[in-house]
Amino acid sequence: MQWRELETEPCSLARALAVVGDRWTLLVLREAFLKVRRFDDFQRRLGIARRVLAQRLGGLVADGVMEKVVYQERPIRHEYRLTEKGLALHPVVLSLVHWGDAHYAGATGPPVLHRHTVCGHDFRSVLTCSVCGEPVDARAVEARPGVPS
Amino acid sequence: MQWRELETEPCSLARALAVVGDRWTLLVLREAFLKVRRFDDFQRRLGIARRVLAQRLGGLVADGVMEKVVYQERPIRHEYRLTEKGLALHPVVLSLVHWGDAHYAGATGPPVLHRHTVCGHDFRSVLTCSVCGEPVDARAVEARPGVPS
């Protein structure tokens, strides 16, 4: 399997990775979830080459994960906002951050704390089942083909 | 920021990406969650070059995400199993699969269905708050530095 074939592979993970399976792309998304919107702010915070950043943001816009919106008319200025499809990546980014917290935080603790504004507490993310609401353990999941082949 | 600096960057996502921020690595993990354990099975299912697969599996073992275990003595044979640290990546992989399902499944529906053996139903994953148990919306999360700088 070559990377250019990933988009057509019958696996949702492979298709998802064709869109966000790049470290810079995931770091750009992290910044977007921290409410960064402007090209120069992404650039400064990530220390990323402008050409690479333009490429990644352009890809995310092309894939409908972010949208480029005019926020000022004279001179014209754009910012990048997560679309609903982009916001739906939040569980991926947050799960990966919390996994990093659990295994790489070191003695000083997590570098970033997340507060759930609904209940007002710092929290960890817990993946649960949409049907029964219980936490989902990897050992309690059975996978089977969904499309007759 | 260069990739070699990612491991020392004070961000859990960056540190996590230094371990699993590679598309092949994530596809290897997907297979592992589908209970694939043997080198030849990974190789056949992914169509990946043996050298690349050995590299990725070796990296995952070095990072404590998988372990290489003897399952047969004569001749000696190894298999690769997820450790607890590796199993803890399940929310990341499952969230990404379900995001792919939601946005790229097409008319035939998701290529893989997941059944929660606790309740017996096919499910979607829902990210919830460890404190109040409610679903976590990206807009309901506030991030702040956790380490005094």
Side-chain angles (χ1 to χ4, degrees):
Chain A
M1 182 165 53
Q2 302 296 312
W3 281 119
R4 63 178 180 279
E5 295 167 23
L6 266 190
E7 281 173 46
T8 56
E9 215 220 345
C11 162
S12 290
L13 182 63
R15 291 175 188 173
L17 290 175
V19 178
V20 298
D22 165 89
R23 290 192 273 196
W24 279 126
T25 300
L26 281 163
L27 289 170
V28 166
L29 288 172
R30 174 196 69 182
E31 297 299 322
F33 281 114
L34 293 173
K35 307 194 200 314
V36 174
R37 293 183 165 186
R38 298 183 187 174
F39 189 94
D40 288 342
D41 292 335
F42 282 109
Q43 203 274 319
R44 187 175 43 78
R45 292 172 58 107
L46 291 172
I48 182 177
R50 297 181 73 85
R51 188 184 51 80
V52 176
L53 177 59
Q55 219 169 46
R56 295 307 190 280
L57 284 169
L60 288 168
V61 170
D63 288 317
V65 171
M66 300 189 82
E67 55 187 349
K68 191 174 174 180
V69 182
V70 174
Y71 73 87
Q72 182 187 294
E73 290 288 352
R74 280 183 238 175
I76 205 149
R77 295 255 187 271
H78 297 92
E79 63 181 20
Y80 295 86
R81 293 187 201 160
L82 291 162
T83 60
E84 287 301 316
K85 180 177 173 183
L87 286 167
L89 280 166
H90 189 241
V92 177
V93 174
L94 200 60
S95 297
L96 202 48
V97 168
H98 284 168
W99 183 80
D101 284 346
H103 297 283
Y104 299 100
T108 50
V112 175
L113 298 175
H114 297 93
R115 199 171 70 89
H116 190 208
T117 59
V118 170
C119 70
H121 291 95
D122 289 346
F123 72 105
R124 286 174 304 101
S125 53
V126 178
L127 203 76
T128 61
C129 167
S130 59
V131 181
C132 71
E134 292 297 311
V136 172
D137 186 276
R139 299 179 189 87
V141 175
E142 278 176 12
R144 66 179 194 284
V147 183
S149 56
Chain B
M1 183 165 57
Q2 301 297 312
W3 282 119
R4 62 179 180 281
E5 295 167 23
L6 266 191
E7 282 174 45
T8 56
E9 216 221 345
C11 162
S12 290
L13 181 64
R15 291 174 188 175
L17 290 175
V19 179
V20 297
D22 166 90
R23 289 190 274 198
W24 279 126
T25 300
L26 282 163
L27 288 170
V28 167
L29 288 171
R30 174 196 69 182
E31 297 300 320
F33 281 114
L34 293 173
K35 307 194 198 316
V36 174
R37 293 183 164 186
R38 299 184 185 172
F39 189 94
D40 288 342
D41 291 335
F42 282 109
Q43 203 274 320
R44 186 175 44 76
R45 292 172 58 106
L46 291 172
I48 182 177
R50 297 181 73 84
R51 188 185 52 79
V52 176
L53 177 59
Q55 220 171 42
R56 296 304 191 283
L57 284 169
L60 289 168
V61 170
D63 289 317
V65 172
M66 300 188 82
E67 55 187 351
K68 190 174 175 178
V69 182
V70 174
Y71 73 88
Q72 182 187 294
E73 291 288 352
R74 277 184 240 173
I76 204 149
R77 294 258 187 267
H78 296 94
E79 64 181 18
Y80 294 86
R81 294 185 199 162
L82 290 162
T83 61
E84 286 302 316
K85 181 177 172 183
L87 286 168
L89 280 167
H90 190 242
V92 177
V93 175
L94 200 60
S95 298
L96 203 47
V97 169
H98 284 168
W99 183 80
D101 284 345
H103 297 282
Y104 298 100
T108 50
V112 175
L113 297 176
H114 296 92
R115 199 171 69 90
H116 189 207
T117 60
V118 171
C119 70
H121 292 96
D122 290 345
F123 71 105
R124 287 173 303 102
S125 53
V126 179
L127 203 76
T128 62
C129 167
S130 60
V131 181
C132 71
E134 293 296 312
V136 172
D137 186 277
R139 299 180 188 87
V141 176
E142 278 176 12
R144 66 179 193 283
V147 184
S149 57

